[in-house]
Amino acid sequence: MSFQFPESFLWGGAIAANQVEGAYLSDGKGLSTSDVQPKGAHGELVDRKAGDYNIKDTAIDFYHRYPEDIALFAEMGFTCLRLSIAWSRIYPNGDDLEPNEAGLAYYDRIFNELEKHDITPLVTLSHYEMPLNLAKQYQGWASRDVIECFTRYAKTVFERYGHRVKRWLTFNEINVTLHEPFTGSGLPRDCTEQTRFQAIHHQLVASAKAVKLCHDIIPDAKIGNMILGAMLYPLTCHPSDMVKTLMQNREWLMFGDIQARGYYPSYMTRKFRDMGVELNITPEDEEALKETIDFISFSYYMTGCASADPKQADNADANMLQMIANPYLKASEWGWQIDPVGLRYLLNFLYDRYQKPLFIVENGLGAKDVPNESGEIIDDYRITYLNDHLYQVGEAIQDGVEVMGYTSWGPIDLVSASTAQLSKRYGFIYVDRDDNGEGSLARSRKKSFYWYQDIIQSRGATLAAPDQGQS
Ligand code: BGP
């Protein structure tokens, strides 16, 4: 690609506290909802008992090894690291009135380290976890009281880190409550639609209030939302498939529509009526929602199809949800359909819809990596995946889309959110640890490490034109 990405484009990777840190009870941290999901978001919930096992208790021990890991990110040339703060490190029970100083001090150390390497932090306030106490005592986001707990937490971290953290996101994949209500909102899986949408409403109000706090406390910061980009194409060009696709895409678009425009879109009136959902929206909520985000961020792993034909069942795994498989696409080992061109499509689509800057804050390939006889990981499949997606980002920029940056998911191997496997590896950096927790935790560079280093250094000029399949 002769095209170079703009100089201001941020290059890096994305991690989440509960998938890398470990140290799940250190320095006063409280239990989080992630701590009771030892098999990941798709698995069962457990009560924590002394001595029981959750791979995330240690994860990849980023809590202690962050200087080495951040140095490796810097070696690749990262200008940005997306990370999350574990809410339960700062407010162990969620409803505490005073923050936990040891938790705050930990993230000071992380930001010091990033500063040392000139890496811009992009911080998610809540990435698939909340203090467990809030889920147990308040029914998670079903309770309006949680809005205040969250805004207290957001205010604390904005005040503490605002002088050095200028890029923020509110909730990771805020639409996930539709698919995994416990992971998204601390709600049981069998909650009613009424409860689910009321919880989502509370979360949207909390998000908007955090945006306002951020604007007031850190006027030179930018804060975005974060959506699981679940783009569907019509399975056929039958008009009924078109309408079905429109309706299904609105399920995830609703979140961005509210966060970017400041009010519920009119199409939700009929949807709520059809579902029998009556939301309690106060005049204060309506006022709060008016504070809109500065940019849109999203994760992108796959696309799928929608069909009005009831015989067409969802047959492809797609992150936290399921979709109808697209016959033109191949899938990853975990069944997620790989669609680089869809990323160009989605970037254009979202920019047309919102006219706000976009940030791709997750994209990557989960794969089983097997070291060769010399102990090296030759992960050409990952290089191809990332190359082809980044190539399409370049195309979208040339289409006129304003793209702030790209943080690949899991620049270092980490614990999978959906299945809690470490063998589902995304990293440029290999971590010696298996699904049973065996291994030295030593880090090593994969072939993709050097590839990404080169891409960042050339600002995308060395991306290869996709040579087969889609272009
Ligand atoms: C997104 C989550 C991440 C991450 C990623 C990959 O949904 O925001 O936390 O884990 O997907 O998913 P998985 O880890 O299940 O492979």
Coordinates of all heavy atoms in Angstrom, one line a residue, residues 139-143 174-204 251 254-255 264 268 271-272 275-280 320-321:
Q139 N -28.9 -6.1 42.5 CA -29.2 -6.7 41.1 C -28.5 -5.9 40.0 O -29.1 -5.6 39.0 CB -30.7 -6.5 40.9 CG -31.6 -7.4 41.8 CD -33.0 -7.1 41.4 OE1 -33.4 -7.4 40.3 NE2 -33.8 -6.6 42.3
G140 N -27.3 -5.6 40.2 CA -26.5 -4.9 39.2 C -27.2 -3.7 38.6 O -27.8 -2.9 39.4
W141 N -27.1 -3.5 37.3 CA -27.6 -2.3 36.7 C -29.1 -2.2 36.7 O -29.7 -1.1 36.3 CB -27.0 -2.1 35.3 CG -25.6 -1.6 35.4 CD1 -24.5 -2.4 35.3 CD2 -25.2 -0.3 35.6 NE1 -23.4 -1.6 35.5 CE2 -23.8 -0.3 35.6 CE3 -25.8 1.0 35.7 CZ2 -23.0 0.9 35.8 CZ3 -25.1 2.1 35.9 CH2 -23.7 2.1 35.9
A142 N -29.8 -3.2 37.2 CA -31.3 -3.1 37.3 C -31.6 -2.0 38.3 O -32.7 -1.4 38.3 CB -31.9 -4.4 37.7
S143 N -30.7 -1.7 39.2 CA -30.9 -0.7 40.2 C -30.4 0.7 39.8 O -29.3 0.8 39.4 CB -30.2 -1.1 41.5 OG -30.1 0.0 42.4
I174 N -21.1 -2.0 25.2 CA -22.3 -1.7 26.0 C -23.5 -2.5 25.6 O -24.4 -2.7 26.4 CB -22.5 -0.1 26.1 CG1 -23.6 0.2 27.1 CG2 -22.8 0.4 24.7 CD1 -23.7 1.6 27.5
N175 N -23.5 -2.9 24.3 CA -24.6 -3.7 23.8 C -24.6 -5.2 24.3 O -25.5 -5.9 24.0 CB -24.8 -3.7 22.3 CG -23.5 -3.9 21.6 OD1 -22.4 -3.4 22.0 ND2 -23.5 -4.5 20.4
V176 N -23.6 -5.6 25.1 CA -23.4 -7.0 25.4 C -24.5 -7.5 26.3 O -24.8 -8.7 26.4 CB -22.0 -7.3 26.0 CG1 -21.9 -6.9 27.4 CG2 -21.7 -8.8 25.8
T177 N -25.2 -6.5 27.1 CA -26.2 -7.0 28.0 C -27.4 -7.7 27.3 O -28.1 -8.5 27.8 CB -26.7 -5.7 28.8 OG1 -25.7 -5.3 29.6 CG2 -27.9 -6.1 29.7
L178 N -27.5 -7.4 26.0 CA -28.5 -8.1 25.2 C -28.2 -9.6 25.1 O -29.1 -10.4 24.9 CB -28.6 -7.5 23.8 CG -29.0 -6.0 23.6 CD1 -29.0 -5.6 22.2 CD2 -30.4 -5.9 24.2
H179 N -26.9 -9.9 25.2 CA -26.5 -11.3 24.9 C -26.0 -12.0 26.2 O -26.2 -13.2 26.3 CB -25.4 -11.3 23.8 CG -25.8 -10.4 22.7 ND1 -26.8 -10.8 21.8 CD2 -25.4 -9.2 22.3 CE1 -27.0 -9.8 20.9 NE2 -26.1 -8.8 21.2
E180 N -25.2 -11.3 27.0 CA -24.7 -11.9 28.2 C -25.0 -10.9 29.4 O -24.2 -10.1 29.7 CB -23.2 -12.1 28.1 CG -22.8 -13.3 27.2 CD -23.2 -14.7 27.8 OE1 -23.7 -14.7 28.9 OE2 -23.1 -15.6 27.0
P181 N -26.2 -10.9 29.9 CA -26.6 -9.9 30.9 C -25.8 -9.8 32.2 O -25.6 -8.8 32.7 CB -28.1 -10.2 31.2 CG -28.3 -11.6 30.6 CD -27.3 -11.9 29.6
F182 N -25.3 -11.0 32.6 CA -24.4 -10.9 33.8 C -23.1 -10.2 33.5 O -22.7 -9.3 34.3 CB -24.2 -12.3 34.4 CG -23.4 -12.3 35.7 CD1 -24.1 -11.9 36.9 CD2 -22.1 -12.5 35.8 CE1 -23.4 -11.8 38.1 CE2 -21.4 -12.5 37.0 CZ -22.0 -12.1 38.1
T183 N -22.5 -10.6 32.4 CA -21.2 -9.9 32.1 C -21.5 -8.4 31.8 O -20.7 -7.6 32.2 CB -20.7 -10.6 30.8 OG1 -20.4 -11.9 31.1 CG2 -19.4 -9.9 30.3
G184 N -22.5 -8.1 31.1 CA -22.8 -6.7 30.8 C -23.3 -5.8 31.9 O -22.9 -4.7 32.1
S185 N -24.2 -6.4 32.8 CA -24.9 -5.6 33.7 C -25.1 -6.2 35.1 O -25.8 -5.7 35.9 CB -26.3 -5.3 33.2 OG -26.3 -4.4 32.1
G186 N -24.5 -7.4 35.3 CA -24.6 -8.1 36.6 C -26.0 -8.6 36.8 O -26.5 -8.8 38.0
L187 N -26.7 -8.9 35.7 CA -28.1 -9.5 35.8 C -28.1 -11.0 35.5 O -27.2 -11.5 34.7 CB -29.0 -8.9 34.7 CG -29.2 -7.4 34.8 CD1 -30.0 -7.0 33.5 CD2 -30.0 -7.0 36.0
P188 N -29.0 -11.7 36.1 CA -29.1 -13.1 35.8 C -29.4 -13.3 34.3 O -30.1 -12.5 33.7 CB -30.2 -13.7 36.7 CG -30.9 -12.5 37.2 CD -30.0 -11.3 37.1
R189 N -29.0 -14.5 33.7 CA -29.3 -14.7 32.3 C -30.8 -14.8 32.0 O -31.2 -14.5 30.9 CB -28.6 -16.1 31.9 CG -27.2 -16.0 31.8 CD -26.6 -16.9 30.7 NE -25.2 -16.8 30.6 CZ -24.3 -17.7 31.1 NH1 -24.8 -18.9 31.5 NH2 -23.0 -17.5 31.0
D190 N -31.6 -15.2 33.0 CA -33.0 -15.4 32.7 C -33.8 -14.2 33.1 O -35.0 -14.2 33.3 CB -33.5 -16.6 33.4 CG -33.3 -16.5 34.9 OD1 -32.7 -15.5 35.4 OD2 -33.8 -17.4 35.6
C191 N -33.1 -13.0 33.1 CA -33.9 -11.8 33.5 C -34.9 -11.5 32.4 O -34.8 -11.9 31.2 CB -32.9 -10.6 33.7 SG -32.1 -10.2 32.1
T192 N -35.9 -10.7 32.8 CA -37.0 -10.4 31.8 C -36.5 -9.2 30.9 O -35.5 -8.5 31.2 CB -38.2 -9.8 32.5 OG1 -37.9 -8.6 33.2 CG2 -38.8 -10.9 33.5
E193 N -37.1 -9.1 29.7 CA -36.8 -8.0 28.8 C -36.9 -6.6 29.5 O -36.2 -5.7 29.3 CB -37.6 -8.0 27.6 CG -37.3 -9.2 26.7 CD -35.9 -9.2 26.1 OE1 -35.7 -8.7 25.1 OE2 -35.0 -9.8 26.8
Q194 N -38.0 -6.6 30.4 CA -38.2 -5.3 31.1 C -37.0 -5.0 31.9 O -36.5 -3.8 31.9 CB -39.5 -5.5 32.0 CG -39.8 -4.3 32.9 CD -40.2 -3.1 32.2 OE1 -40.9 -3.1 31.1 NE2 -39.7 -1.9 32.7
T195 N -36.5 -5.9 32.7 CA -35.4 -5.7 33.6 C -34.1 -5.4 32.8 O -33.4 -4.5 33.1 CB -35.1 -7.0 34.4 OG1 -36.3 -7.3 35.1 CG2 -33.9 -6.7 35.4
R196 N -34.0 -6.2 31.7 CA -32.8 -6.0 30.9 C -32.7 -4.6 30.3 O -31.7 -3.9 30.4 CB -32.8 -7.0 29.7 CG -31.5 -7.1 28.9 CD -31.8 -7.9 27.7 NE -32.3 -9.2 27.8 CZ -31.6 -10.3 27.7 NH1 -30.3 -10.3 27.5 NH2 -32.2 -11.5 27.9
F197 N -33.8 -4.1 29.7 CA -33.8 -2.8 29.1 C -33.7 -1.6 30.1 O -33.2 -0.6 29.9 CB -34.9 -2.6 28.1 CG -34.5 -3.2 26.8 CD1 -34.9 -4.5 26.4 CD2 -33.8 -2.5 25.8 CE1 -34.5 -5.1 25.2 CE2 -33.4 -3.0 24.6 CZ -33.7 -4.3 24.3
Q198 N -34.3 -1.9 31.3 CA -34.2 -0.9 32.3 C -32.7 -0.8 32.8 O -32.2 0.3 33.0 CB -35.1 -1.2 33.5 CG -35.3 0.0 34.5 CD -35.9 1.2 34.0 OE1 -37.0 1.1 33.3 NE2 -35.3 2.4 34.2
A199 N -32.1 -1.9 32.9 CA -30.7 -1.9 33.3 C -29.8 -1.2 32.2 O -29.0 -0.4 32.5 CB -30.2 -3.3 33.5
I200 N -30.1 -1.5 31.0 CA -29.4 -0.8 29.9 C -29.6 0.7 30.0 O -28.7 1.5 29.8 CB -29.9 -1.4 28.5 CG1 -29.3 -2.8 28.3 CG2 -29.5 -0.5 27.4 CD1 -29.9 -3.6 27.2
H201 N -30.9 1.0 30.2 CA -31.2 2.5 30.4 C -30.3 3.1 31.4 O -29.7 4.2 31.2 CB -32.7 2.7 30.6 CG -33.0 4.1 30.9 ND1 -32.9 5.1 29.9 CD2 -33.3 4.8 32.1 CE1 -33.2 6.3 30.5 NE2 -33.4 6.1 31.8
H202 N -30.2 2.5 32.6 CA -29.4 3.0 33.7 C -28.0 3.2 33.3 O -27.3 4.1 33.6 CB -29.5 2.1 34.9 CG -30.9 2.1 35.6 ND1 -31.4 1.0 36.2 CD2 -31.9 3.1 35.6 CE1 -32.6 1.3 36.7 NE2 -32.9 2.6 36.3
Q203 N -27.5 2.2 32.5 CA -26.1 2.2 32.1 C -25.9 3.3 31.1 O -24.9 4.0 31.1 CB -25.8 0.9 31.4 CG -24.4 0.4 31.7 CD -24.2 -1.1 31.3 OE1 -24.6 -1.5 30.3 NE2 -23.5 -1.8 32.2
L204 N -26.9 3.5 30.2 CA -26.7 4.6 29.2 C -26.7 6.0 29.9 O -26.0 6.9 29.6 CB -27.9 4.5 28.2 CG -27.7 3.4 27.2 CD1 -29.0 3.1 26.5 CD2 -26.6 3.8 26.2
E251 N -30.6 -3.3 16.7 CA -30.4 -3.8 18.1 C -29.1 -3.3 18.7 O -29.1 -2.9 19.9 CB -30.5 -5.3 18.1 CG -31.9 -5.8 17.9 CD -32.1 -7.3 17.8 OE1 -31.1 -8.0 18.2 OE2 -33.1 -7.8 17.4
M254 N -28.8 1.0 18.3 CA -29.5 1.8 19.3 C -28.6 2.4 20.3 O -28.7 3.6 20.7 CB -30.5 0.9 20.1 CG -31.3 1.6 21.2 SD -32.0 0.5 22.4 CE -30.7 0.3 23.5
F255 N -27.6 1.7 20.7 CA -26.7 2.2 21.8 C -25.9 3.4 21.3 O -25.9 4.5 22.0 CB -25.7 1.1 22.2 CG -26.4 -0.1 22.9 CD1 -27.0 -1.1 22.2 CD2 -26.5 -0.1 24.3 CE1 -27.7 -2.1 22.8 CE2 -27.2 -1.1 24.9 CZ -27.8 -2.1 24.2
Y264 N -33.3 8.7 22.7 CA -33.7 7.4 22.1 C -34.2 7.6 20.7 O -35.0 8.5 20.4 CB -34.8 6.7 23.0 CG -34.3 5.9 24.2 CD1 -34.0 6.6 25.3 CD2 -34.2 4.6 24.1 CE1 -33.5 5.9 26.4 CE2 -33.7 3.8 25.2 CZ -33.4 4.5 26.4 OH -32.9 3.8 27.4
M268 N -37.3 2.9 18.5 CA -37.4 2.1 19.7 C -38.8 2.2 20.3 O -39.2 1.3 21.1 CB -36.4 2.6 20.8 CG -35.0 2.2 20.5 SD -34.7 0.4 20.1 CE -35.1 -0.4 21.7
K271 N -40.5 -0.8 19.0 CA -39.8 -2.0 19.5 C -40.2 -2.3 21.0 O -40.6 -3.4 21.4 CB -38.3 -1.8 19.4 CG -37.5 -2.8 20.0 CD -36.7 -3.6 18.9 CE -35.8 -4.6 19.6 NZ -35.9 -5.9 19.1
F272 N -40.2 -1.2 21.8 CA -40.5 -1.4 23.2 C -42.0 -1.8 23.3 O -42.3 -2.7 24.2 CB -40.3 -0.1 24.0 CG -38.8 0.2 24.3 CD1 -38.3 1.5 24.2 CD2 -38.0 -0.8 24.6 CE1 -37.0 1.7 24.5 CE2 -36.6 -0.6 24.9 CZ -36.1 0.7 24.8
M275 N -42.4 -5.4 22.5 CA -41.8 -6.3 23.5 C -42.5 -6.2 24.9 O -42.3 -6.9 25.8 CB -40.3 -5.9 23.8 CG -39.4 -6.3 22.7 SD -37.6 -6.1 23.2 CE -37.6 -4.3 23.6
G276 N -43.4 -5.2 25.0 CA -44.1 -5.0 26.2 C -43.2 -4.4 27.3 O -43.4 -4.6 28.5
V277 N -42.3 -3.6 26.8 CA -41.3 -3.0 27.8 C -41.7 -1.6 28.0 O -42.0 -0.8 27.1 CB -39.9 -3.1 27.2 CG1 -38.9 -2.2 28.0 CG2 -39.4 -4.5 27.2
E278 N -41.8 -1.2 29.3 CA -42.1 0.2 29.6 C -41.0 0.8 30.5 O -40.9 0.4 31.6 CB -43.5 0.3 30.3 CG -44.6 0.4 29.4 CD -46.0 0.6 30.1 OE1 -46.1 1.5 31.0 OE2 -46.9 -0.2 29.8
L279 N -40.2 1.6 29.9 CA -39.0 2.1 30.7 C -39.4 3.2 31.6 O -40.3 4.1 31.3 CB -38.0 2.6 29.7 CG -37.2 1.6 28.9 CD1 -36.1 2.2 28.1 CD2 -36.7 0.4 29.8
N280 N -38.8 3.2 32.7 CA -38.9 4.4 33.6 C -37.8 5.3 33.3 O -36.6 5.1 33.7 CB -38.8 3.9 35.1 CG -38.7 5.0 36.1 OD1 -39.0 6.2 35.7 ND2 -38.2 4.7 37.3
M320 N -19.9 -12.6 21.5 CA -20.9 -12.9 22.6 C -22.2 -13.4 22.0 O -23.1 -13.6 22.8 CB -21.1 -11.7 23.5 CG -19.8 -11.3 24.2 SD -19.5 -12.5 25.6 CE -17.8 -12.1 26.0
L321 N -22.3 -13.4 20.7 CA -23.7 -13.7 20.1 C -23.5 -14.8 19.0 O -22.5 -15.4 18.8 CB -24.4 -12.5 19.7 CG -23.7 -11.6 18.6 CD1 -24.8 -10.8 17.8 CD2 -22.8 -10.6 19.3

